[in-house]
Structures are given as structure tokens and as C-alpha cells.
Amino acid sequence: MKDEVKIITSQAITEGWESIRITRGIERCPNDFTLTMSERYKGELQGVSIFAGDEFELTIENKKGKNEPVITGFIDRYVPSINKSAHSISVSGRGKCQDLVDCSAIYKNGAFVNMTLPSIAFALMSPFKIDLIVTKAAQTYITKVIPSFPLMYGETVIEIIERIAQYVRVLVYEDNFGRLVLDTVSTKRMKSGIQEGENVQAANIVYANDQRFKDYYGYYTAIDNYNDVSGHATALQAVKPVSDGGITRYRPKIFIMESGDVQANTLQARLSWECNRRAGRGQALRVQVDSWRDGEDNLWRPNTVVPVHIPTLKINHKDMLIGEVTYIRNGQQGTIAELVLMPPEAYAPQPIVFIKSNLPELAKP
């Protein structure tokens, strides 16, 4: 079978799955899957050797016969079932980064002082034996030093990493080898695109304006008691407003300076981010294509740019970013890939201000 899915564990290689759902994305961590198969003849499934907790590699075989890793992690659940006429099994699992999502962060010093995001992430992740990947595009963003960052008891590892990643403005997601990736919104492209009349089976797009505004204003203070005073707007120390050219009617939105934003640089960046992200999120496309691969046999993958041409939905040769991809195979739909796409700016991290701790015990490393 083309694109045969295999679960490889230390005990065995299991294939022949009848129902398949494998999902990867840049706004989800970890990646996950659910596979099922039923018995075609009595005793066929007795030899299946998969157990909850097993480390696995899920692969998809390409046309050259090579098994391409798609998810690497641990089996969460193995569910065998029987009735009078059938025996079936269901297996679900997630990538290795599941432990960063599920488990609380423990660090013997209780706080991080004068460390970068990669060094903090490495310190938290090392007990889990999960590798960290910093892409070339993210290198210039992750050099910011975090002055002091205390751990809150009960916080998960990923909550801490994502919060700091937001400050340095990088994405955090899991790759196909179960590694945690620090990356930016990518400009890498798939070899072919999505074309109505060729590989599109179904598609819908939500054009939304309800969360968009015409003008975005930013101010240094939250309270203006001098509306009747000439020049009061200047007294508020406003930053340069940003306008959305796609909105024609009067729809203003005000944002107030975050504490610690001394030069208002973050506030200015926030206005642009709000405008661009809201415009991008107002063009959310979900499309089903007839293959797990593009025209040159590459698996569709998250954080890649794809040219989209679906004239019926008023999308004409537009570059969009894959935020999530789900590989599906079952008796009702056959073999398809379901992609969630938006303009690249829809996925950019929000600019935030980092507020360092002033606790005395954090004064020294």
C-alpha cells in the first residue's frame, strides 16, 4: 500500500492499519495520532506487540520504500476490544514532548538568573532526555538574557518555555523526531501547491472581520481625565497608530502600555502585531487534499508556505502557511490530508514585556 504507516517499537513493527489520524502543527505540542485495525481472520491480532508506555517511531513509507519518521514518542493508550464477531485494537500516542506538557517543572535552584531561553529550556528538559533544536532563523532572537525568572510550583515545563519564547518572539513546537523546536514563522516552501480542480477534494474558508479594527492606538496611561483639555492626546504620550487598510468604516481599538515598557517599543510592535494577526486570522482556510504528499512526493508539513489557488473561495495564487496537517485514512474518506492554513502573519508570536523578579534571593546567580 502506498504511504504505509508503521509503528516501530523495540518489540516489533506493526503495520496494516485501517483507520489513521496523525496530526502535526506549530500551535500544538506534542504531535499525536490514533490508529485502529480489525481482525481479518481469527487470531490475526494476537501477535500485535504494543503496550502503553512503549517508546515508538511512527513512520510513513515513501515510494522509494524508505520509512519517513513523522512522530517519535510514547504510546499513551492501547485498547483491544472484542465482540461476538470481531476483534479490534486502537492505539494512540504522542511525541516525546508530551512529558514537557504533562509534567511539572523542577529546578534545584528555584529560579533562573541571567540565562538565555535555550539554556533555560535545556536545564528543564535534560531530565526528560528530550533534545532542543534552535533553527537558523531563530538564532538572532534567542540571545536575549533573562535577568531573573522564578519557577512557580506546579507549572509545567512547556508553560515556562512558551512564556519566555513569547518574550523573545519565537515559536515553540515539536518536530518529527520528538525534539522541541525554537523557530520563527518560516519562509520555506513546499514544492507544489494547492490547486482547485487538481488536488482539492473539499475546502472552506472563514472570512472574518468581527475581530478586526480600522485604527489601533497605543497609550502610556490607562486613564484620561482630561478629555476637555486641548492637546490631551499628546499628554497621554501616544505611540504612532496603525491602520488596517482592509477595514473601511470607523472601528478604533486602544491598547495601553504594559508595565515595564520604558521606551514603548513593545507597545508599538504590539499595535502592528494586533493589526496583522487579526487580519491574518480573518482568513482561516481548511482544505482536504487527495494525498498526504505534494507533487514531488514530499509529505505536507507544518510551518511551510504553500501557494493556494481556489478561485471558488476567492483565493487566487495566494501564499499561505500550513499551521496544522492531519494525515487521514479510513473507509469513508479514503486517504486524504487535512490542512489548516492562514497568511504567515497570523502565526507570529505576540510581543510582550518581560518583568524581571525583584526578589532578594534572586539578586545573585
Side-chain angles (χ1 to χ4, degrees):
M1 180 186 294
K2 181 183 179 181
D3 287 329
E4 182 70 56
V5 173
K6 301 177 183 179
I7 290 288
I8 303 172
T9 67
S10 59
Q11 292 86 20
I13 298 176
T14 308
E15 54 189 307
W17 304 98
E18 298 172 354
S19 178
I20 296 167
R21 196 274 305 157
I22 305 164
T23 304
R24 300 173 58 196
I26 59 173
E27 292 190 314
R28 59 185 297 128
C29 183
N31 303 316
D32 67 282
F33 75 89
T34 299
L35 309 175
T36 62
M37 68 167 64
S38 57
E39 199 169 59
R40 291 167 294 184
Y41 53 86
K42 187 174 178 61
E44 179 187 19
L45 300 183
Q46 294 297 322
V48 173
S49 183
I50 297 177
F51 303 93
D54 279 352
E55 187 170 352
F56 74 88
E57 184 179 63
L58 184 151
T59 66
I60 298 178
E61 185 175 356
N62 62 24
K63 63 182 181 181
K64 296 180 180 179
K66 180 180 178 181
N67 295 322
E68 298 181 63
V70 178
I71 301 180
T72 305
F74 300 95
I75 301 296
D76 285 328
R77 299 184 180 187
Y78 171 69
V79 185
S81 61
I82 59 171
N83 58 36
K84 291 182 179 180
S85 59
H87 175 198
S88 64
I89 61 173
S90 174
V91 179
S92 61
R94 294 175 292 163
K96 288 183 177 181
C97 289
Q98 63 171 275
D99 289 341
L100 307 182
V101 175
D102 298 341
C103 300
S104 298
I106 297 177
Y107 184 61
K108 62 180 181 179
N109 293 342
F112 300 101
V113 180
N114 295 327
M115 296 173 65
T116 62
L117 172 57
S119 59
I120 292 173
F122 179 79
L124 292 172
M125 293 165 52
S126 58
F128 299 97
K129 299 180 180 179
I130 295 173
D131 293 329
L132 178 70
I133 299 297
V134 180
T135 66
K136 184 177 180 181
Q139 290 288 345
T140 57
Y141 293 86
I142 49 82
T143 57
K144 289 184 179 179
V145 174
I146 312 302
S148 56
F149 192 95
L151 271 68
M152 302 296 179
Y153 283 108
E155 259 192 317
T156 64
V157 176
I158 201 67
E159 285 174 335
I160 295 171
I161 294 173
E162 285 184 335
R163 194 156 70 250
I164 302 174
Q166 187 177 9
Y167 166 61
V168 302
R169 302 183 191 180
V170 295
L171 301 174
V172 179
Y173 59 90
E174 184 183 56
D175 72 2
N176 53 329
F177 295 104
R179 303 174 300 189
L180 192 71
V181 179
L182 303 180
D183 200 0
T184 60
V185 175
S186 179
T187 58
K188 294 180 181 178
R189 305 178 66 88
M190 297 297 299
K191 296 297 183 181
S192 65
I194 297 168
Q195 174 78 41
E196 183 176 358
E198 293 185 6
N199 59 352
V200 174
Q201 290 194 341
N204 71 79
I205 185 168
V206 178
Y207 290 111
N209 266 18
D210 54 310
Q211 297 302 310
R212 295 173 66 179
F213 300 90
K214 173 61 177 177
D215 296 301
Y216 296 80
Y217 299 98
Y219 296 102
Y220 278 82
T221 182
I223 301 175
D224 176 10
N225 293 322
Y226 302 97
N227 287 335
D228 59 334
V229 177
S230 176
H232 74 94
T234 303
L236 285 173
Q237 302 182 62
V239 297
K240 184 178 180 181
V242 174
S243 294
D244 184 341
I247 304 298
T248 57
R249 70 185 188 274
Y250 180 70
R251 277 179 61 82
K253 186 71 171 178
I254 292 176
F255 295 90
I256 307 303
M257 180 190 72
E258 297 182 61
S259 176
D261 191 7
V262 179
Q263 302 297 326
N265 294 330
T266 303
L267 178 59
Q268 187 70 72
R270 170 78 182 278
L271 296 187
S272 296
W273 178 84
E274 290 282 357
C275 180
N276 294 332
R277 179 179 169 88
R278 289 168 184 267
R281 295 268 160 172
Q283 305 170 61
L285 171 68
R286 186 177 293 271
V287 59
Q288 293 178 356
V289 292
D290 59 7
S291 173
W292 291 351
R293 301 176 181 275
D294 68 7
E296 295 193 9
D297 206 42
N298 300 299
L299 288 168
W300 300 108
R301 63 185 185 275
N303 206 20
T304 52
V305 177
V306 178
V308 181
H309 185 60
I310 309 178
T312 302
L313 300 185
K314 300 181 179 179
I315 307 174
N316 297 295
H317 303 288
K318 183 180 182 66
D319 282 350
M320 304 186 81
L321 191 82
I322 300 177
E324 183 175 283
V325 56
T326 300
Y327 310 107
I328 297 171
R329 177 179 294 150
N330 55 50
Q332 294 73 44
Q333 297 170 288
T335 298
I336 64 170
E338 187 171 275
L339 310 178
V340 176
L341 307 100
M342 284 182 272
E345 56 269 22
Y347 295 100
Q350 177 185 347
I352 63 170
V353 174
F354 180 81
I355 307 298
K356 70 177 182 179
S357 171
N358 291 317
L359 295 176
E361 60 266 32
L362 299 183
K364 297 180 180 180

